[in-house]
């Protein structure tokens, strides 16, 4: 897997409402695997540069472990040009790494997964099923925190939260997590919903109800 550093992803402020996360968070004592599938959305910024990321991850809600996650980024320039890419990241300690040898396109059926073990550290899998291509990578890492996540995010640019791109709606499906040694899906997506809110308290992005192994997150407003 070829990569280069990009923007940063950070943890949410609370488990109920966040300035940068929208989706589901499952508190669990020993997460070691999470995955999900989705279709790369068309995004817009209302004439401004805007940003969005979609990902499953493990460990994002505690300060005692790592957040290990990977997904897709969907950004748009002020002129309306969309840029899409796969990425992986371990927080704290490493900025987002763009995957350069597999590039998703709007509408592609994609999936990512993360796995952590004491022997291998963090392992990343990123697939574009439309292209029938997957890439993998690994990174040394200590243990994740006590949660699994399935998130649409407003990624951090420097130290600021930028405009959230209008992604309309994104369905994350075929998703779940694991606590057993084999590192494969044992449980479906579950947990508590998280709504992304702006500085004035308005909803920016809201997750719908989980159905089986899937849920849909809907964009509501720009930041």
């Amino acid at each position: 897997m070829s990569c280069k550093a990009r923007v940063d992803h950070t943890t949410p402020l609370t488990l109920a409402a966040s300035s940068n996360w929208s989706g589901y968070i499952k508190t669990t004592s020993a997460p070691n695997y999470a995955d999900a599938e989705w279709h790369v959305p068309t995004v817009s910024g209302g004439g401004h540069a805007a940003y969005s990321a979609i990902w499953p991850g493990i460990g994002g809600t505690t300060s005692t472990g790592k957040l290990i996650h990977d997904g897709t980024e969907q950004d748009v320039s002020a002129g309306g040009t969309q840029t899409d890419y796969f990425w992986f990241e371990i927080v704290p300690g490493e900025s987002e790494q763009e995957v350069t040898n597999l590039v998703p396109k709007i509408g592609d059926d994609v999936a990512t997964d993360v796995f952590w073990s004491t022997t291998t550290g963090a392992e990343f899998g990123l697939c574009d099923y439309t292209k029938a291509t997957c890439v993998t990578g690994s990174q040394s890492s200590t243990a994740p925190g006590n949660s699994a996540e399935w998130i649409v995010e407003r990624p951090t640019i420097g130290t600021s939260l930028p405009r959230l791109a209008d992604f309309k709606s994104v369905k994350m499906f075929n998703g779940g997590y694991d606590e057993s040694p084999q590192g494969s899906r044992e449980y479906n997506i579950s947990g508590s919903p998280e709504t992304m809110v702006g500085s004035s308290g308005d909803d920016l992005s809201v997750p719908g109800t989980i159905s089986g192994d899937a849920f849909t997150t809907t964009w509501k407003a720009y930041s």
Side-chain angles (χ1 to χ4, degrees), residues 63-215:
S63 60
T64 56
K66 299 288 189 178
L67 165 59
I68 302 170
H69 56 326
D70 58 4
T72 59
E73 181 110 6
Q74 300 77 213
D75 302 335
V76 62
S77 69
T81 300
Q82 181 166 333
T83 300
D84 308 292
Y85 59 89
F86 283 111
W87 56 269
F88 66 93
E89 186 183 40
I90 300 173
V91 179
E94 179 182 57
S95 295
E96 176 196 275
Q97 303 294 305
E98 177 187 356
V99 175
T100 57
N101 58 331
L102 180 61
V103 181
K105 300 297 183 184
I106 294 170
D108 281 4
D109 181 5
V110 301
T112 69
D113 65 77
V114 292
F115 171 60
W116 180 85
S117 74
T118 55
T119 56
T120 61
E123 298 182 9
F124 305 92
L126 308 101
C127 291
D128 189 322
Y129 294 139
T130 301
K131 294 181 172 64
T133 303
C134 295
V135 296
T136 59
S138 62
Q139 188 87 5
S140 175
S141 176
T142 54
N146 297 329
S147 61
E149 303 86 25
W150 302 268
I151 298 295
V152 176
E153 183 181 8
R154 179 165 52 144
T156 305
I157 306 298
T159 59
S160 301
L161 285 172
R163 191 177 182 88
L164 174 67
D166 178 0
F167 55 84
K168 298 176 177 64
S169 65
V170 170
K171 182 179 182 180
M172 299 183 77
F173 58 99
N174 287 337
Y177 69 102
D178 189 18
E179 299 173 341
S180 64
Q182 66 263 29
S184 59
R185 189 187 312 138
E186 183 179 18
Y187 305 105
N188 285 344
I189 293 171
S190 63
S192 301
E194 176 131 348
T195 295
M196 190 188 310
V197 297
S199 57
S200 62
D202 52 317
D203 291 345
L204 304 182
S205 175
V206 177
T209 303
I210 296 171
S211 178
D213 61 6
F215 70 96

Side-chain angles (χ1 to χ4, degrees), residues 44-52 154-155 161-165 222-223:
S44 59
H48 300 270
Y51 302 80
S52 67
R154 179 165 52 144
L161 285 172
R163 191 177 182 88
L164 174 67
Y222 294 115
S223 60

